[in-house]
C-alpha cells in the first residue's frame, strides 16, 4: 500500500507499489541512524495527540525504529448485512479506506464515517488493493457457477453515497482472467466432466478454486521492477491430493487494461481480458484452506505477505502467514506433487518466522487470525490489520470490521503487535 505522507498536513506524497523506493542498504542505514532515538521512544499516553505519538517497530529482527507519522489506531468499517470482511484497501492521498464484505464494497474516511457503498454483487468479492498509479481500487471477483473470474476495478471518486448498484451506476468495471478459468475448469482425470465448485474431485489444476488475494508490487525478483498486479489462486484443501501444496501467483501488467475493461453484467458474463499472463509463480507452503486470502506487498521490507486459513494435512506445519522475499530471483524448478512432471518459476519463502525442517517451510502459526480478513502495509513497518466480528440489532446480525494499527515484530506465533496509545479514528 502507498505510504501516508501528506495526511498530517505536510506536503509529502505517497509512493505507489512498484515505484522506486529506498534500497535495502538505504533502509539499513536509516534504521541504524534512528536506532538510538528508538531506544528512548515511547508510545504517547492514551488519548494523547496522535501527532506526537511515535510508533516503535521492529524490522527483520533489527533494533526498533521510530515512525512519527500520525494515524488513527483503528478505523471502524461499520456493520453490514452481508458476508464477513474479505479485504481492505487504503487511498492514502485522499484519506479513505475501502472494505470488501463478500458481496459489498464500503468506503469510509479515516474517522470511520461511511462515505459510500457498492452493492448488488451475487458473486464473491474478495481481497482489495489500491493502485496508486490510476487512483482506483482493484479486487478479486468470482462467479464459480458461471466459470467466470474477474478483477473488479472501482472508481473510488464516484462512490459518493451508500447503496450504489454495481451494475447500473458505472462505478465498477471488470477484466476477465482466462488463465484462472482454464485452471479452475481443468479436467485433470480426463473423464470429460467438469465437477464444479468442489474439492472432492481430482479436477482443478493445482487445486485451483478461483482467486482471492490481490496486491500491487514490483515484478518478482526485483525490488524496483515495474509495478504489477499480483493475483493469488484460491486453493481447495483436498487432503487426498499432492498437487495443491503451492500458492500459485499470477502477475499482470495492467497499464493497458483499459481496452479490456467492461461493465459488470452478471446476466451475461463477458470474456474480455488479457490472453497471456506476465508470469506464473509457485510458492511451496504446504496445505491451506482456500489459498491466499490476503496478499500484500510491503515496500519497506521488500517482502510479500500471504495470509491463509490453516491447512489440515498432518505432514505440514500448517502455518497461517507466509512471506516471500521480493528481491529473490524466481528459480525454474520442479513444481512438486503434480500428476505429470512439471517445471515452473519457484519463489523461495523468506527465512523468517518458524521453520519446519521436514518440509522446509517457513512461516508463522498465528493462533489469532492476523491478515486473513484484510491487510494493508503502510510501507514504514506498520500495517492496518482487519479485525472481523458481528453485531446483532433488532434480531438482525450484521458483519463488522475494524482496521487496527499494528507494527511488525517478526516474532512467532504472530509477527504483528498492536499499536497502543494513539487515538482511534
Amino acid at each position: 500500500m502507498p505510504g501516508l505522507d501528506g495526511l498530517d498536513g505536510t506536503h509529502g506524497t505517497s509512493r505507489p507499489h512498484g515505484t522506486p523506493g529506498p534500497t535495502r542498504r538505504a533502509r539499513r542505514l536509516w534504521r541504524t541512524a534512528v536506532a538510538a532515538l528508538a531506544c528512548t521512544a515511547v508510545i504517547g499516553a492514551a488519548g494523547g495527540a496522535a501527532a506526537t505519538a511515535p510508533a516503535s517497530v521492529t524490522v527483520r529482527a533489527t533494533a526498533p525504529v521510530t515512525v512519527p507519522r500520525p494515524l488513527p489506531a483503528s478505523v471502524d468499517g461499520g456493520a453490514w448485512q452481508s458476508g464477513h470482511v474479505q479485504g481492505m484497501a487504503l487511498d492514502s492521498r485522499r484519506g479513505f479506506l475501502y472494505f470488501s464484505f463478500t458481496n459489498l464494497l464500503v468506503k469510509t474516511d479515516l474517522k470511520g464515517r461511511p462515505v459510500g457503498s457498492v452493492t448488488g454483487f451475487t458473486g464473491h468479492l474478495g481481497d482489495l488493493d489500491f493502485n496508486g498509479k490510476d487512483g482506483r481500487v482493484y479486487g478479486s471477483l468470482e462467479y464459480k457457477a458461471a466459470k467466470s473470474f474477474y478483477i473488479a476495478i472501482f472508481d473510488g471518486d464516484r462512490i459518493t453515497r451508500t447503496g450504489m448498484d454495481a451494475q447500473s451506476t458505472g462505478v465498477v468495471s471488470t477484466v476477465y482472467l482466462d488463465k484462472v478459468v482454464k485452471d479452475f475448469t481443468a479436467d485433470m482425470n480426463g473423464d470429460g466432466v467438469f465437477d464444479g465448485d468442489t474439492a472432492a474431485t481430482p479436477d482443478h489444476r493445482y487445486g485451483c478454486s478461483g482467486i482471492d488475494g490481490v496486491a500491487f508490487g514490483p515484478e518478482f525478483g526485483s525490488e524496483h521492477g515495474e509495478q504489477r498486479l499480483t493475483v493469488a489462486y484460491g486453493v481447495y484443501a483436498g487432503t487426498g491430493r499432492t498437487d495443491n501444496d503451492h500458492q500459485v501467483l499470477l502477475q499482470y501488467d495492467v497499464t493497458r487494461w483499459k481496452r479490456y475493461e467492461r461493465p459488470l453484467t452478471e446476466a451475461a458474463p463477458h470474456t474480455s481480458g488479457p490472453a497471456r499472463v506476465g508470469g506464473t509463480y509457485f510458492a511451496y507452503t504446504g496445505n491451506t484452506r482456500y489459498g491466499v486470502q490476503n496478499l500484500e506487498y510491503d515496500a519497506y521490507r521488500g517482502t510479500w505477505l500471504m495470509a491463509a486459513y490453516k491447512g489440515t494435512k498432518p505432514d505440514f506445519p500448517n502455518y497461517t502467514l507466509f512471506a516471500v522475499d521480493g528481491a529473490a530471483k524466481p528459480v525454474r524448478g520442479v513444481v512438486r506433487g503434480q500428476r505429470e512432471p512439471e517445471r515452473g518459476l519457484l519463489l523461495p519463502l523468506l527465512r523468517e518466522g518458524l521453520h519446519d525442517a521436514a518440509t522446509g517451510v517457513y512461516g508463522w502459526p498465528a493462533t489469532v487470525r492476523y491478515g486473513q480478513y484484510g491487510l494493508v502495509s503502510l510501507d514504514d513497518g506498520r500495517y492496518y490489520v482487519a479485525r472481523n466480528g458481528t453485531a446483532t440489532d433488532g434480531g438482525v446480525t450484521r458483519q463488522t470490521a475494524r482496521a487496527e494499527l499494528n507494527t511488525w515484530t517478526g516474532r512467532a506465533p504472530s509477527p504483528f503487535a498492536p499499536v497502543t496509545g494513539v487515538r482511534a479514528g
Side-chain angles (χ1 to χ4, degrees):
M1 290 295 168
L4 288 158
D5 297 317
L7 289 184
D8 58 353
T10 67
H11 299 288
T13 58
S14 59
R15 175 170 55 82
H17 283 337
T19 57
T23 64
R24 289 191 173 188
R25 180 175 182 272
R27 289 200 298 266
R28 287 196 299 269
L29 290 173
W30 183 76
R31 289 197 292 265
T32 300
V34 301
L37 293 175
C39 290
T40 58
V42 295
I43 302 297
T52 59
S56 178
V57 301
T58 302
V59 180
R60 290 189 183 274
T62 61
V65 299
T66 300
V67 183
R69 296 175 188 168
L71 274 178
S74 65
V75 179
D76 188 2
W80 307 88
Q81 197 169 351
S82 60
H84 72 75
V85 63
Q86 300 282 337
M88 303 185 300
L90 173 67
D91 179 351
S92 63
R93 194 178 295 274
R94 297 174 180 85
F96 295 115
L97 260 174
Y98 295 84
F99 299 82
S100 59
F101 286 89
T102 309
N103 59 4
L104 167 74
L105 182 91
V106 174
K107 175 184 178 181
T108 76
D109 64 17
L110 293 184
K111 293 185 179 295
R113 296 176 297 204
V115 175
S117 65
V118 182
T119 63
F121 296 100
T122 62
H124 180 280
L125 180 64
D127 190 19
L128 305 174
D129 203 359
F130 183 77
N131 183 358
K133 288 191 173 182
D134 67 12
R136 299 187 294 173
V137 176
Y138 288 58
S140 59
L141 182 60
E142 301 182 315
Y143 293 92
K144 294 185 181 183
K147 304 175 187 175
S148 297
F149 298 93
Y150 299 99
I151 293 298
I153 305 172
F154 296 86
D155 186 344
D157 289 343
R158 299 178 64 182
I159 302 175
T160 56
R161 56 183 173 82
T162 58
M164 300 183 72
D165 182 72
Q167 298 185 73
S168 63
T169 56
V171 298
V172 184
S173 60
T174 53
V175 175
Y176 181 81
L177 301 183
D178 182 65
K179 163 68 172 170
V180 180
V181 174
K182 287 179 177 176
D183 284 346
F184 174 71
T185 60
D187 179 14
M188 302 302 291
N189 61 0
D191 65 359
V193 177
F194 172 62
D195 295 327
D197 179 16
T198 175
T201 172
D203 287 348
H204 313 296
R205 184 172 287 109
Y206 313 122
C208 176
S209 69
I211 55 175
D212 214 325
V214 296
F216 283 95
E219 296 175 276
F220 288 120
S222 174
E223 284 189 277
H224 308 303
E226 291 297 320
Q227 178 175 256
R228 296 289 183 259
L229 173 66
T230 304
V231 181
Y233 277 12
V235 180
Y236 291 112
T239 56
R241 61 195 296 175
T242 61
D243 59 348
N244 60 343
D245 294 330
H246 291 82
Q247 302 308 321
V248 183
L249 306 171
L250 310 180
Q251 286 202 318
Y252 293 93
D253 181 355
V254 303
T255 55
R256 297 184 180 179
W257 267 23
K258 279 284 189 182
R259 57 183 168 174
Y260 302 125
E261 292 180 31
R262 300 291 184 273
L264 177 63
T265 53
E266 294 186 340
H270 72 82
T271 58
S272 175
R276 292 187 291 181
V277 178
T280 302
Y281 303 87
F282 302 88
Y284 189 71
T285 62
N287 187 234
T288 58
R289 290 189 299 117
Y290 293 107
V292 178
Q293 294 295 298
N294 266 252
L295 180 69
E296 184 68 354
Y297 180 70
D298 179 5
Y300 178 69
R301 301 177 68 244
T303 60
W304 295 84
L305 288 184
M306 305 183 295
Y309 297 143
K310 184 178 180 179
T312 55
K313 289 185 180 179
D315 292 338
F316 289 99
N318 296 314
Y319 300 141
T320 56
L321 188 69
F322 309 91
V324 169
D325 188 342
K329 295 290 185 183
V331 177
R332 185 165 294 278
V334 175
V335 182
R336 287 181 268 184
Q338 304 308 303
R339 292 166 178 258
E340 300 292 335
E342 181 177 345
R343 296 178 66 82
L345 293 172
L346 309 181
L347 297 173
L349 294 178
L350 193 68
R351 296 189 174 190
E352 292 187 10
L354 299 184
H355 178 228
D356 181 65
T359 61
V361 173
Y362 289 82
W364 291 266
T367 53
V368 177
R369 287 177 177 170
Y370 271 98
Q372 290 85 349
Y373 296 117
L375 190 60
V376 174
S377 171
L378 306 183
D379 292 345
D380 62 6
R382 296 178 299 170
Y383 292 80
Y384 271 127
V385 178
R387 181 77 61 179
N388 79 310
T390 59
T392 302
D393 182 20
V396 177
T397 299
R398 293 179 170 84
Q399 297 290 327
T400 65
R402 179 176 290 274
E404 298 180 344
L405 194 61
N406 280 250
T407 60
W408 178 267
T409 70
R411 303 186 185 97
S414 172
F416 295 106
V419 172
T420 59
V422 293
R423 290 184 302 213

